Structures are given as structure tokens and as C-alpha cells.
Amino acid sequence: MDPAAVPQLYAGNVGGRYAAATGIAFALGLALAAAAVAGSPSRAGASAAVLAALNAVRATGCGGRSGVATPLRENAQLTAAARRGSSDRDFRDALAATGYRATRSATIHVSGAADARSIANLLAAKYCAYLIESAYREIGIHQQGRETWIVLAAPFSPPALEASDAVARHVLELVNRARMQARMCGNSRFAVAGLLRLNVALSRAALAHAADMAQHSYLAHEGRDGSSPADRVTHAGYRWRSVGENIASGATSPEAVVDGWVKSPRHCANLMAAQYTEMGVAYSVNRESEAGIYWAQVFGAPR
């Protein structure tokens, strides 16, 4: 059989690293992909057919897993990244060149299958988890001859500034829900703790630090001016007996940021500490920064 007629798949994270998913040698797959770059140009109709076929699999499920109700939508920047990546294989640079910001992304290269149904069947068999991952909501597709490059992405969608009060209340709800259950934070056991309430001064301290981290693209408890969490809380006008701080970056929802804190032993210990009765939380978005969004959560026990 002509090896060029055997469908092959390669997948990886954005960064150009691929893992072969068939018995065909990895080097052979790369050689076949390189030889096909000079083929026919990408066809919009064919890409639309591939998208429809992939969304059909996504909706019904695959590999014994349930489907996802939200279909993938095509994104022009991701399509441009797939096109650029097909030439130089560096999808991280290709994605950055388009200006698209993703919280997660994945690339898949299919070689030797040209029709939409065959491509969808291959992905369903080998990369079902990619297709039904609910975080992936956007897609770019580039085809040349019998080669198809696909970029899946979870878009960077931070909460709007005007939603900050609602976000703070939701974070408080999630934190209090966590405090209502005894848990292990690393090797330390914490009993059920009392419910926290939001405090305006603590929220001011949290916002000041989140905004500074976002503006200057860093993640640290020590401010650029050398301030500590206690310094910032005092400056905000809060009279305290004890204070604590959690910070995070990259998370775009209350659920994601609280989940990250709960799973980190030191952050979890702050969150579960019984001496704290009040909390402030804030986030700041700067799309040009390294992480895009920065969070600060400040705990306090007033005098």
C-alpha cells in the first residue's frame, strides 16, 4: 500500500511538539507532511464540511463519552495560525503572530485523509478527548490537498470590569462553601471554619495589588514598592489583628481561581484559617501582560 494514502494523525500542545498516533514511523509522517505543503490551496467549503463533521461528533460523543452541547465555532485568527503553523511547525509562534489569546490550546495534524467524514472519524477514534473538551470553544482549520491542520482553543475570556461586584460575591460564596467542609490542605488538617464576609477596605487592598501585578506583569506577594500584604491592608485603612493573602493569575472565572487555591496547600491553608472573619477579592485584566488577568484575595481579622 502506498504509505501516503494511509491516514495519519499527529497532535500536541501549541509549541510544535507532536506525538504520533499511528503505527507509522514519526519521521515518515513529518516527511509526508512536508511534501504536501506545496499542494492545493485551502478550500473554505472543505473546511466548513470538516467543521460540521467534527461538531457532529462533538454533539453525539465518542469513545463511550457523552457529547458537548456547545459546538465549536470557527475563528479566523485560529485558521490563520493553522495556516502559518503548517509551514513552519511552530504553532506557538503562529498563534502569537495572529494576536489570538488562549487559556488552553491544542493542535492536530491529519495526513492522508481528505474528506470531512474520514477526518472526523479519525479524530473521534484517536483524539475524542480533544473534540468533547468543553473548554475548547473555537477552532481553526487549514487544508492543503490531503493534509489538514486543526487548532483548538479555549479563548481568553476574562470577566468584565462591570461584573467585579458580582464576581466578588461569587468568590465569597465558593470560599464559604469550601470552609463549610473539613479538609486536608497538603499534610495539614483543617476543621470546618466560620463563614467570611466581604470587607470594602480589604477589597481595596486586593484591587490595588491585582492592578499593579497586571500592569507590570508579575505575580508576587511583595509589591513593586516593597509592600507586604499587611502594609497594603493598613494603607487601605483596615485595622487588623491578622491578615493573609492569596494571589493567582490566568484564571478567568471564580470557579477556576477558587479551585486553584483549594488545591494548593498554602493557599488552601489561608482559605481555611479559622482566625479570619473577613475577606476582600479583586481581579485586574491587562491583555498585554504575561498572564492576562491577575487576582488578589485578602483575608483579615479586625481589631
Side-chain angles (χ1 to χ4, degrees), residues 144-245:
Q144 287 183 316
R146 299 175 67 84
E147 308 294 312
T148 302
W149 289 266
I150 296 170
V151 180
L152 297 166
F156 176 66
S157 301
L161 178 61
E162 55 268 25
S164 59
D165 288 344
V167 169
R169 291 192 297 271
H170 193 25
V171 170
L172 176 67
E173 176 187 355
L174 295 171
V175 168
N176 279 334
R177 192 180 302 169
R179 286 169 66 92
M180 291 172 65
Q181 297 180 348
R183 69 183 62 246
M184 295 294 295
C185 296
N187 295 322
S188 301
R189 183 178 298 278
F190 285 82
V192 171
L195 301 183
L196 301 175
R197 58 182 178 270
L198 289 175
N199 178 275
V200 173
L202 292 179
S203 294
R204 280 200 303 269
L207 179 58
H209 192 47
D212 192 61
M213 290 191 293
Q215 181 180 356
H216 299 284
S217 197
Y218 74 98
L219 185 68
H221 291 290
E222 182 177 340
R224 291 173 58 256
D225 59 358
S227 63
S228 67
D231 294 331
R232 293 188 289 273
V233 166
T234 300
H235 183 73
Y238 187 84
R239 293 172 57 83
W240 53 274
R241 287 187 294 107
S242 59
V243 294
E245 181 182 76

Side-chain angles (χ1 to χ4, degrees), residues 16-283:
R17 297 178 61 85
Y18 293 88
T22 68
I24 299 172
F26 180 57
L28 174 61
L30 289 180
L32 291 172
V37 168
S40 59
S42 184
R43 297 159 292 161
S47 295
V50 172
L51 176 58
L54 295 180
N55 273 330
V57 174
R58 182 175 169 91
T60 58
C62 49
R65 304 177 186 182
S66 300
V68 179
T70 305
L72 294 165
R73 59 180 182 267
E74 189 165 13
N75 179 280
Q77 290 172 297
L78 292 180
T79 296
R83 184 181 303 111
R84 295 174 67 102
S86 70
S87 299
D88 60 24
R89 296 281 177 171
D90 192 334
F91 280 92
R92 180 178 288 113
D93 287 347
L95 196 59
T98 68
Y100 186 95
R101 181 144 205 160
T103 56
R104 295 173 58 185
S105 57
T107 62
I108 300 173
H109 173 206
V110 181
S111 177
D115 66 284
R117 179 173 294 183
S118 296
I119 293 170
N121 287 342
L122 282 168
L123 266 65
K126 297 294 185 180
Y127 295 111
C128 175
Y130 285 81
L131 290 182
I132 64 172
E133 171 55 63
S134 60
Y136 292 140
R137 302 202 303 272
E138 297 187 329
I139 187 172
I141 302 169
H142 175 64
Q143 290 188 288
Q144 287 183 316
R146 299 175 67 84
E147 308 294 312
T148 302
W149 289 266
I150 296 170
V151 180
L152 297 166
F156 176 66
S157 301
L161 178 61
E162 55 268 25
S164 59
D165 288 344
V167 169
R169 291 192 297 271
H170 193 25
V171 170
L172 176 67
E173 176 187 355
L174 295 171
V175 168
N176 279 334
R177 192 180 302 169
R179 286 169 66 92
M180 291 172 65
Q181 297 180 348
R183 69 183 62 246
M184 295 294 295
C185 296
N187 295 322
S188 301
R189 183 178 298 278
F190 285 82
V192 171
L195 301 183
L196 301 175
R197 58 182 178 270
L198 289 175
N199 178 275
V200 173
L202 292 179
S203 294
R204 280 200 303 269
L207 179 58
H209 192 47
D212 192 61
M213 290 191 293
Q215 181 180 356
H216 299 284
S217 197
Y218 74 98
L219 185 68
H221 291 290
E222 182 177 340
R224 291 173 58 256
D225 59 358
S227 63
S228 67
D231 294 331
R232 293 188 289 273
V233 166
T234 300
H235 183 73
Y238 187 84
R239 293 172 57 83
W240 53 274
R241 287 187 294 107
S242 59
V243 294
E245 181 182 76
N246 284 343
I247 55 176
S249 65
T252 56
S253 70
E255 290 81 2
V257 74
V258 173
D259 183 63
W261 285 330
V262 169
K263 290 178 178 177
S264 168
R266 294 180 64 184
H267 296 88
C268 175
N270 268 348
L271 190 146
M272 292 297 297
Q275 72 264 29
Y276 299 135
T277 58
E278 297 181 318
M279 183 194 88
V281 65
Y283 59 90

